[in-house]
């Protein structure tokens, strides 16, 4: 029975991946595993699979959601994020009420900009820093299925247990 169930899931993943490949872009080489993972995230978030696929991409072969998609999922879950900027503009803190508690996560703009390889960091460092702070806040404190890569050395929550991500060169998914 377990072998039959596994065979059905593999076939289902292949069919989903085939459909996602039609979207092109990052999905042109979609694997059955990535397709099944995306479907699981969509079900957990209560959104459509294709809608979520438009806000997903791959980093080092791992499935990732764009910051805009993560923020949209947070808003859908009733999480509103506000930003507090240091007067010198060097730091930003994302603040939100999650689980009945006020949560805060700080980002040092220069450190994040040095890590950021996209042109958006050059064009809009302030906006990108806000995204980085919000993503860190949501990864650490919310139960949303965000599928984000953790930053080396960052402490995150897995369930109710905080976990320290090793300081490795390559990002890793939890």
């Amino acid at each position: 029975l377990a072998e039959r169930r596994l065979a059905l899931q593999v076939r289902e993943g292949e069919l989903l991946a085939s459909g996602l490949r039609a979207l092109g872009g990052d999905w042109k080489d979609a694997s059955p595993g990535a397709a099944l993972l995306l479907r699981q995230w969509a079900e957990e978030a209560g959104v459509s699979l294709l809608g979520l696929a438009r806000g997903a991409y791959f980093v080092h072969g791992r499935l990732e959601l764009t910051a805009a998609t993560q923020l949209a999922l947070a808003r859908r879950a009733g999480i509103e994020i506000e930003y507090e900027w240091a007067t010198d503009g060097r730091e930003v803190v994302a603040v939100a009420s999650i689980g009945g508690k006020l949560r805060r996560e700080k980002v040092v703009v220069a450190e994040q900009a040095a890590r950021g390889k996209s042109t958006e960091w050059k064009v809009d460092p302030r906006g990108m820093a806000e995204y980085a702070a919000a993503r860190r806040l949501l990864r650490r404190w919310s139960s949303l299925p965000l599928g984000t890569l953790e930053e080396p050395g960052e402490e995150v929550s897995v369930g109710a247990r905080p976990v320290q991500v090793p300081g490795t060169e390559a990002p890793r998914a939890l």
Side-chain angles (χ1 to χ4, degrees), residues 89-166:
R90 293 182 185 182
E91 298 177 349
V92 62
V93 176
V95 182
S97 177
I98 300 174
K101 295 183 178 179
L102 197 61
R103 306 294 187 180
R104 307 168 71 82
E105 289 294 327
K106 178 177 74 170
V107 164
V108 177
V109 177
E111 290 174 10
Q112 285 296 314
R115 283 190 203 143
K117 294 180 175 62
S118 67
T119 57
E120 287 91 351
W121 276 101
K122 293 178 182 84
V123 174
D124 184 17
R126 187 176 175 94
M128 292 301 290
E130 288 180 353
Y131 270 150
R135 288 173 77 149
R136 184 176 291 170
L137 177 89
L138 293 170
R139 281 196 315 261
R140 185 163 187 198
W141 299 108
S142 81
S143 61
L144 293 171
L146 301 176
T148 61
L149 299 171
E150 308 304 338
E151 297 175 20
E154 180 179 356
E155 184 180 286
V156 296
S157 293
V158 178
R161 181 176 58 106
V163 174
Q164 184 74 30
V165 177

Side-chain angles (χ1 to χ4, degrees), residues 1 24 50 59 62 70 79 82 88 107 116 124 140 144 156 160:
L1 183 61
L50 290 177
V59 175
R62 293 182 179 99
Q70 291 179 30
I79 300 171
E82 296 182 14
D88 62 7
V107 164
D124 184 17
R140 185 163 187 198
L144 293 171
V156 296

Side-chain angles (χ1 to χ4, degrees), residues 62-82:
R62 293 182 179 99
L63 190 58
E64 172 74 73
L65 298 177
T66 65
T69 300
Q70 291 179 30
L71 292 176
L73 290 174
R75 280 191 299 278
R76 182 180 172 92
I79 300 171
E80 292 296 326
I81 300 173
E82 296 182 14

